[in-house]
Amino acid sequence: IPHDDLSSIFSAAQNCSDSLGEIIGKIERHTNTRDVNSYTTMFTNVIQAWGAASISAVPLSSESDPLAPSRGVNQILKTIHLLESIAALPDRTFFDDDVNELQSIEIEQSREHKAFLFECLGEVFAEALEQLRQIDTSVREKKVSDETRPGKSFFLENVFEVEKMLRYYESQSRIVLTQ
């Protein structure tokens, strides 16, 4: 891939991130299931765009290049942090003996919505992990074809961030599953 084309790929990924940032700034705290599904798709697409940019950069760039795979990896992690900042599920419980039938229906819908949010969070996290794996695979394949020592692992370099992501998911699962 010529450097100009690679620059265009990174620019497209950046445009996806910028658009997501604009949309996220307008999100209302309580959204319906259709909106959450759309947001999940947007987050997943941004992560895939940065993954594709990083994979495209593997054969051409060095770490000092601004179009290095590490830039895409950092943007994937930044996208995850953005999701975590808006996806915090309220941890209040709904165990009040004095609820009427209408409140009971709202409580059940709220539980279903939280479960759906949790499922969407898992989808985005899984996509981020898959992109890191694919980037690492591309780096390993390049190093093997170059007959040099094995390349670095972006997954291992960011294991702290991956562990943090998994801990966040676990804490959210406790909220969802206890209600």
Side-chain angles (χ1 to χ4, degrees), residues 1-177:
I1 298 177
H3 199 271
D4 287 345
D5 290 347
L6 186 59
S7 181
S8 295
I9 293 170
F10 272 79
S11 291
Q14 186 62 55
N15 289 340
C16 289
S17 287
D18 293 345
S19 296
L20 178 65
E22 289 174 22
I23 292 167
I24 294 306
K26 298 174 185 174
I27 290 180
E28 293 181 22
R29 203 61 176 144
H30 301 288
T31 58
N32 63 39
T33 302
R34 186 185 65 222
D35 290 343
V36 172
N37 202 19
S38 296
Y39 300 143
T40 301
T41 302
M42 287 186 277
F43 273 98
T44 302
N45 287 339
V46 168
I47 290 168
Q48 289 172 344
W50 282 113
S54 294
I55 290 168
S56 298
V58 167
L60 302 173
S61 63
S62 67
E63 282 309 302
S64 61
D65 191 331
L67 302 179
S70 57
R71 178 176 173 210
V73 170
N74 291 335
Q75 289 295 326
I76 289 170
L77 296 174
K78 185 177 174 183
T79 302
I80 290 299
H81 293 304
L82 176 62
L83 175 62
E84 290 172 345
S85 73
I86 64 163
L89 301 174
D91 59 357
R92 63 181 199 155
T93 56
F94 298 99
F95 298 110
D96 185 355
D97 293 333
D98 298 327
V99 295
N100 65 33
E101 188 175 325
L102 181 60
Q103 287 172 318
S104 180
I105 290 170
E106 288 174 1
I107 289 168
E108 190 57 37
Q109 288 174 340
S110 177
R111 285 180 182 153
E112 289 174 13
H113 186 70
K114 287 179 191 177
F116 182 72
L117 281 171
F118 179 68
E119 182 181 321
C120 291
L121 189 66
E123 284 180 39
V124 175
F125 283 177
E127 185 60 42
L129 293 173
E130 176 61 18
Q131 290 301 318
L132 289 174
R133 185 196 66 75
Q134 287 181 13
I135 294 165
D136 276 1
T137 300
S138 295
V139 169
R140 264 193 320 276
E141 288 172 357
K142 178 190 185 271
K143 294 299 179 181
V144 167
S145 67
D146 289 348
E147 297 180 11
T148 59
R149 62 182 174 74
K152 67 191 224 173
S153 170
F154 290 105
F155 187 88
L156 290 178
E157 280 188 1
N158 292 289
V159 75
F160 174 75
E161 293 292 333
V162 171
E163 287 175 349
K164 199 165 83 172
M165 181 183 0
L166 294 174
R167 273 191 241 103
Y168 179 82
Y169 189 74
E170 179 187 20
S171 72
Q172 294 302 305
S173 71
R174 290 172 197 242
I175 293 169
V176 170
L177 298 175

